[in-house]
Amino acid sequence: MKGVRHGQRNGACFPLAVAHLLSDFSVLETEQILKSWNRKNFPPMRDREVLKCVKSADKGLKKDYQHYYNAMRMKIRQITGLEIK
């Protein structure tokens, strides 16, 4: 979970949020993990932007789990190197 540069932050934050939520981390745990990750970004996003990504990911998974799961699998693998099963 290395930091990323401006222009890549939201594109990395959202799938990382989905990955953590799919891995049974709670919304609160995911928020804390991604706030820590965000401090490595250059420049860091505002905390409220990180929270917005996490809440959006959580809402999307609750609304249409299969769609979000399928859409994020490849993106998650590109960012983390981990395969989501």
Side-chain angles (χ1 to χ4, degrees), residues 24-69:
D24 293 326
F25 287 92
S26 71
V27 170
L28 183 58
E29 290 170 322
T30 300
E31 289 174 356
Q32 295 304 312
I33 291 166
L34 292 185
K35 280 183 182 179
S36 177
W37 162 80
N38 184 49
R39 288 192 280 277
K40 299 174 187 174
N41 291 335
F42 184 79
M45 298 187 303
R46 293 185 174 131
D47 279 351
R48 69 177 183 226
E49 289 297 314
V50 174
L51 301 179
K52 184 178 176 181
C53 278
V54 173
K55 289 180 181 185
S56 179
D58 183 52
K59 183 178 178 182
L61 284 167
K62 287 178 179 172
K63 182 178 179 182
D64 191 351
Y65 177 88
Q66 195 63 42
H67 170 75
Y68 266 66
Y69 170 79

Side-chain angles (χ1 to χ4, degrees), residues 17-25 61 65 68-69 72 76 84:
V18 171
H20 282 83
L21 294 169
L22 288 173
S23 298
D24 293 326
F25 287 92
L61 284 167
Y65 177 88
Y68 266 66
Y69 170 79
M72 290 293 114
I76 292 165
I84 303 291

